[in-house]
Amino acid sequence: MSLLFIGIDPSTGDDKSPTVWVDQEKNEFVLQGWKPGTELEAECAAFHVPGHARGIPDDEAVIRIPARMVHMIREACDAVEQADVR
């Protein structure tokens, strides 16, 4: 895996670290964030999208990252778009 580090939340201190990377080989975002509380996870799991099963598949996760990191997500989007050959 070839990770391109985009950024880490500068406001979380030494013991927390929401982070944004881009996997350059798979052309995917890799996000590290906070685990949701049980109430938020249940709300996400119960959300209905037509044509999709409810719930969170075992190989997926809900995470939270602070909105102050939006510029990092934009940078990751730009990196993925630049690498994407359509």
Side-chain angles (χ1 to χ4, degrees), residues 62-82:
V62 173
I63 63 164
R64 297 171 38 244
I65 58 173
R68 64 182 165 262
M69 294 178 67
V70 71
H71 68 282
M72 294 175 199
I73 296 169
R74 284 190 184 120
E75 186 177 337
C77 291
D78 291 343
V80 167
E81 284 182 339
Q82 290 171 5

Side-chain angles (χ1 to χ4, degrees), residues 6-17:
I6 300 297
I8 190 168
D9 180 8
S11 299
T12 57
D14 293 339
D15 62 338
K16 306 271 188 216
S17 53

